């Protein structure tokens, strides 16, 4: 069975890097699939643990010049330590273990496990464990400040090198410029040289290679003219130096990289905001004593106290106290939720005015917040199908650019005007610098990262990039009624005696409905208890799917069933039918009580529509989406609810096992999104192209749907579709810009416009435009392309998601 491993990768600077890592991981025996997301700096690998281990996969990444972002923690272990090393090495996510006496040092992938889980694993052996320290190795993102310092220094020297020859002529100025440019070339070019060398050592080329080769060629050419003017100057070469060009290229590229790094950092703000919701410590009550412990030291069953204004540390159930808790980080709803004894609380939510004591029911990576973060990260690390084309291009892009640069140099040297070598070299450098695989690599993933991040902040969890792509194309939305469009908490509306007293009808119905988990059953039982009725025990309980329930109560055979079932049995009287029609016209569901084969009464229950259901339907219709209601309820009931919500198309009286076939019929004609609770509607959800599950904050990871709406607000459905459409729109804009930029700029850098603009051609100064693209302008254009793509993706953070015609 294949196992999935996800981890952050450091050292990537362009899409070619991602393609290289993806290829290296994919070539390892036992790996069935490898995917590397450049924007998210994340690698996801599916592998056979019997053939390859996580440490071997990380070593493969390091062997080609990159690194995995790992954490390292040291424990002091007292007591029995036998087998601790083997135990830790066997843990998923652990990359290395070193034991020196009582000190145990563990390196692990923070995306897979945590220091708290490792500590609990050691404690399970009977040892006492004390944490010493924790630190990280490697960073997935390049620091911005050092890049900007180098960029400013390079641009300043570039400007000086550009202006100084205007005021000072002669050989001396070239030597001064050489003295200024040499340290800039070495210091500002160092990041490119280091990474280019790593790439060359491992037999491939990437963006850093292009910059390093281009700027070095410009610098060495200029240095040769400054040091040996009598040897290299002449009609073939010319006598001009280009120290300003090399410095400005480095400056522009570094500015672009810093802006790109900052923008990429902003694309991941959603996950960081979620992680920031976790408090560092928790106040735990153990053996009657309250103590503050690190968050990852909280254990299942611990009693945790949260005071007013504090964040809830982990998931749990309230045992003492009452308060209002802000769960907007989970649901997107800003109204605090009242919590009392028995209510569930979610880690990361903000406590209000009261003090709560709750029992921890989920800790560490099993909390709802941790699961949501994991879902978002998985979605952001996934690839949309449309990205495959960009990945294929990026994988061969840099070698092709180098070949084009060499052809440019040879062509100008052989057929160009004097000075031929200078012209060829400058155009070849421009080709190297202007090419940008980064824009191609960032086009799709940045849009996906920002789109899924915004969705997470709104309580909309996309499982993958593919889910967003499908959401964009939805033509029909099918809603389950109960619990989706309605509250899912039906209430008793009336009881009708048709041979028995109303109280007796309700008492018998409550008895037979007692073991059932259906919402209608809970409503009937609750109403009987509220009225103080003594509910007897049922024997031989049985459910009749789509029809009702039956059992033996006080020696009588009692059945509670739908109007259709009663009619099929030939028991429906005129009075009963009239009562049922009247109830259904008010949106109530009539149920009938049959005792020993005779119809003895009726019970009407109704489920109130959610406050936003009508708004959600209106917004979907405004988006051009056809809205359907799918329910097992009687047609008159379903149509009454549909009229209230503005739904025209209704599929009623559909048995649970028939729902999937109804969805398949619609899916054959368009792209269908099915919206349900993810349990009873599982077959119908699976039949739709886009499955949308409405869940609570504590069960988001249990759903198999492509989209989960945390909190159960149906307004999330039109928002999800609108977000999918917006993300798809931005994604296509990015891909168009990335391809168009390279298609336009690379031929321009090669000098294709020279035949049109050659009159009055001079190349004595790189700022002159006569059919040539000056390398420094090429550097600015290259930087601009990546920044443009990322900035366009960031627009998704604030794009309106209201109804679109």
């Amino acid at each position: 069975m294949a196992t999935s491993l996800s981890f952050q990768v450091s050292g990537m600077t362009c899409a070619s890097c991602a393609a290289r890592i993806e290829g290296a991981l994919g070539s390892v025996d036992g790996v069935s699939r490898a995917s590397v997301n450049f924007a998210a700096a994340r690698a996801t690998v599916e592998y056979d643990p019997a053939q390859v281990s996580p440490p071997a996969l990380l070593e493969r990444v390091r062997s080609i010049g990159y690194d995995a972002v790992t954490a390292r923690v040291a424990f002091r272990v007292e007591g029995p330590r036998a087998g601790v090393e083997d135990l830790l090495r066997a843990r998923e996510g652990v990359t290395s273990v070193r034991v020196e006496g009582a000190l145990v040092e563990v390196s692990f992938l923070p995306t897979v496990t945590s220091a708290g889980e490792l500590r609990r694993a050691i404690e399970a052996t009977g040892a006492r464990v004390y944490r010493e320290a924790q630190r990280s190795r490697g960073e997935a993102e390049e620091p911005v400040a050092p890049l900007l310092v180098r960029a400013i220094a390079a641009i300043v020297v570039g400007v000086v090198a550009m202006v100084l020859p205007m005021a000072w002529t002669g050989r001396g100025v070239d030597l001064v410029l050489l003295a200024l440019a040499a340290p800039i070339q070495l210091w500002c070019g160092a990041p490119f040289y280091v990474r280019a060398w790593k790439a060359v050592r491992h037999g491939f080329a990437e963006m850093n290679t292009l910059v390093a080769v281009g700027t070095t060629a410009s610098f060495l050419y200029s240095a040769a003219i400054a040091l040996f003017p009598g040897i290299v100057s002449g009609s073939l070469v010319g006598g001009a130096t280009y120290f300003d060009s090399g410095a400005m290229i480095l400056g522009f590229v570094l500015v672009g990289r810093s802006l790109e790094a900052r923008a990429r950092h902003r694309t991941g703000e959603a996950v960081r905001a979620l992680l920031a919701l976790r408090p560092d410590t928790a106040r735990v009550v153990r053996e009657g004593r309250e103590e503050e412990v690190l968050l990852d030291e909280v254990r299942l069953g611990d009693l945790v106290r949260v005071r007013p204004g504090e964040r809830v540390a982990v998931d749990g159930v309230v045992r003492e106290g009452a308060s209002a808790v802000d769960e907007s980080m989970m649901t997107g709803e800003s109204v605090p939720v009242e919590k009392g004894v028995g209510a569930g609380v979610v880690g990361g939510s903000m406590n209000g005015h009261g003090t709560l004591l709750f029992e921890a029911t989920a800790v560490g990576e099993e909390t709802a917040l941790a699961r949501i973060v994991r879902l978002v990260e998985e979605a952001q690390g996934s690839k949309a199908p449309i990205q495959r084309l960009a990945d294929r291009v990026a994988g061969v892009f840099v070698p092709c650019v180098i070949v084009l640069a060499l052809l440019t140099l040879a062509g100008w040297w052989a057929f160009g005007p004097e000075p031929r070598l200078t012209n060829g070299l400058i155009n070849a450098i421009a080709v190297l610098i202007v090419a940008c695989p980064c824009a191609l690599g960032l086009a799709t993933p940045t849009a996906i990262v920002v789109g899924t991040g915004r969705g997470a902040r709104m309580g909309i969890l996309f499982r993958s990039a593919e889910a967003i792509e499908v959401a964009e194309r939805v033509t029909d939305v099918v809603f389950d009624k109960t619990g989706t469009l309605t509250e899912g908490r039906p209430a008793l509306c009336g009881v009708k005696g048709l041979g028995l007293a109303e109280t007796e009808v309700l008492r018998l119905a409550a008895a037979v409905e007692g073991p059932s988990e259906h919402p209608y059953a809970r409503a009937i039982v609750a109403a009987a208890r509220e009225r103080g009725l003594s509910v007897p025990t049922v024997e031989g309980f049985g459910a009749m799917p789509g029809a009702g329930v039956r059992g033996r109560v006080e020696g009588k055979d009692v059945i509670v069933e739908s109007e259709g079932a009663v009619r099929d049995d030939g028991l429906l009287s005129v009075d009963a039918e009239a009562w049922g029609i009247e109830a259904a016209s008010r949106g109530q569901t009539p149920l009938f009580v049959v005792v020993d084969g005779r119809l003895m009464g009726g019970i009407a229950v109704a489920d109130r529509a959610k406050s936003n259901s009508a708004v959600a339907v209106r917004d979907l219709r405004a988006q051009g989406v056809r809205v359907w209601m799918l329910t097992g309820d009687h047609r008159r009931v379903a149509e009454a609810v549909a009229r209230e919500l503005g739904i025209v198309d209704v599929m009623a009286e559909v048995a649970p096992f028939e729902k999937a076939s109804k969805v398949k019929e619609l899916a054959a004609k368009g792209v269908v999104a099915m919206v349900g609770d993810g349990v009873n509607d599982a077959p119908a959800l699976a039949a739709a192209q886009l499955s949308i599950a409405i869940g609570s904050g504590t069960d988001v990871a249990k759903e198999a749907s492509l989209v989960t709406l945390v909190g159960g607000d149906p307004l999330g459905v039109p928002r999800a579709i609108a977000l999918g459409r917006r993300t798809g729109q931005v994604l296509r804009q990015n891909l168009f810009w990335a391809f168009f930029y390279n298609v336009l700029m690379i031929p321009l850098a090669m000098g294709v416009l020279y035949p049109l603009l050659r009159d009055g051609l001079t190349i004595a100064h790189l700022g002159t435009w006569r059919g040539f693209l000056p390398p420094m302008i090429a550097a600015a254009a290259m930087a601009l392309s990546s920044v443009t793509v990322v900035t366009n993706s960031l627009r998704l953070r604030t794009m309106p998601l209201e109804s679109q015609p």
Side-chain angles (χ1 to χ4, degrees), residues 64 74 96 195 212 226 263 311 331 370 430 504 513 560 571 586 679 740:
I64 58 172
S96 68
R195 288 179 175 141
R311 289 204 176 274
T331 65
E504 184 66 9
E513 292 280 13
V560 179
L571 300 176
R586 296 193 295 266
V679 181
F740 175 77

Side-chain angles (χ1 to χ4, degrees), residues 296-634:
D296 58 16
E297 294 176 0
V298 179
R299 303 164 184 163
L300 284 175
D302 274 343
L303 292 177
V304 183
R305 191 181 305 281
V306 55
R307 295 173 179 170
E310 294 181 341
R311 289 204 176 274
V312 177
V314 296
D315 297 354
V317 176
V318 176
R319 297 305 181 204
E320 292 181 13
S323 185
V325 178
D326 179 4
E327 297 180 341
S328 58
M329 39 69 69
M330 300 288 293
T331 65
E333 296 296 329
S334 57
V335 179
V337 181
E338 294 295 330
K339 301 290 183 181
V341 174
V345 290
V346 182
S349 55
M350 177 67 75
N351 187 32
H353 54 78
T355 297
L356 298 175
L357 183 69
F358 66 91
E359 180 183 345
T361 57
V363 298
E365 295 303 306
E366 296 306 312
T367 63
L369 179 59
R371 296 202 304 268
I372 286 178
V373 169
R374 189 159 61 245
L375 284 173
V376 175
E377 288 180 336
E378 288 173 358
Q380 293 183 342
S382 65
K383 291 186 178 183
I386 197 173
Q387 189 177 344
R388 296 182 188 126
L389 173 62
D391 286 348
R392 286 197 295 270
V393 173
V396 298
F397 189 86
V398 173
C400 289
V401 169
I402 293 175
V403 171
L404 289 175
L406 293 174
L407 291 174
T408 300
L409 174 60
W412 280 91
W413 191 357
F415 307 109
E418 302 293 353
R420 287 180 291 154
L421 181 58
T422 298
N423 292 343
L425 183 63
I426 296 306
N427 282 283
I429 291 171
V431 171
L432 291 173
I433 299 303
V434 81
C436 187
C438 298
L440 282 172
L442 291 168
T444 299
T446 52
I448 296 299
V449 167
V450 179
T452 53
R454 182 172 183 187
R457 290 196 300 271
M458 299 168 64
I460 304 168
L461 303 181
F462 290 96
R463 290 275 167 169
S464 64
E466 183 180 1
I468 291 182
E469 194 170 274
V470 176
E472 180 190 7
R473 299 183 286 109
V474 166
T475 58
D476 298 77
V477 170
V478 180
F479 282 99
D480 173 58
K481 181 176 76 71
T482 305
T484 303
L485 290 171
T486 62
E487 295 286 355
R489 295 188 295 272
L492 183 73
C493 298
V495 181
K496 177 71 172 177
L498 297 169
L500 287 176
E502 292 181 358
T503 54
E504 184 66 9
V505 171
L506 180 59
R507 192 177 73 90
L508 292 175
V512 78
E513 292 280 13
S516 175
E517 292 297 323
H518 195 281
Y520 289 170
R522 291 196 291 267
I524 293 170
V525 173
R529 289 173 177 168
E530 287 172 4
R531 299 185 184 191
L533 301 180
S534 175
V535 179
T537 303
V538 63
E539 298 175 354
F541 170 82
M544 301 177 292
V549 293
R550 67 189 310 153
R552 192 163 181 80
V553 181
E554 296 178 338
K556 305 182 185 72
D557 289 325
V558 179
I559 302 174
V560 179
E561 58 186 348
S562 66
E563 180 180 340
V566 174
R567 180 181 286 106
D568 291 343
D569 293 339
L571 300 176
L572 191 63
S573 65
V574 175
D575 290 345
E577 184 175 19
W579 174 82
I581 292 173
E582 182 183 356
S585 67
R586 296 193 295 266
Q588 300 169 3
T589 299
L591 301 173
F592 293 90
V593 180
V594 177
V595 181
D596 288 334
R598 296 175 60 196
L599 180 59
M600 304 302 290
I603 293 177
V605 293
D607 192 4
R608 188 175 59 182
K610 292 181 178 179
S611 59
N612 283 332
S613 291
V615 180
V617 172
R618 183 200 66 199
D619 284 359
L620 285 168
R621 294 181 66 179
Q623 292 175 8
V625 176
R626 190 173 183 180
V627 182
W628 299 75
M629 177 193 288
L630 179 63
T631 178
D633 270 350
H634 191 283

Side-chain angles (χ1 to χ4, degrees), residues 85-124:
E85 183 173 357
D86 292 338
L87 172 72
L88 291 174
R89 288 188 187 279
R91 294 280 300 186
E92 186 178 2
V94 172
T95 60
S96 68
V97 180
R98 186 170 63 90
V99 178
E100 290 184 2
L103 190 67
V104 179
E105 190 172 83
V106 187
S107 292
F108 61 94
L109 294 171
T111 55
V112 180
T113 187
S114 67
E117 290 179 347
L118 297 175
R119 173 175 178 162
R120 287 189 286 273
I122 300 174
E123 288 175 335

Side-chain angles (χ1 to χ4, degrees), residues 626-663:
R626 190 173 183 180
V627 182
W628 299 75
M629 177 193 288
L630 179 63
T631 178
D633 270 350
H634 191 283
R635 176 163 294 279
R636 286 191 293 266
V637 178
E639 289 177 346
V641 175
R643 282 195 301 271
E644 178 187 352
L645 300 180
I647 296 176
V648 176
D649 298 293
V650 179
M651 292 180 283
E653 301 177 3
V654 180
F657 59 86
E658 295 176 332
K659 289 184 177 181
S661 62
K662 294 290 184 181
V663 173

Side-chain angles (χ1 to χ4, degrees), residues 174 221-222 225 237-242 422 763-765:
D174 289 338
Y221 171 83
S222 301
I225 291 177
V237 176
T241 60
Y242 302 101
T422 298
I763 200 160
H765 189 275

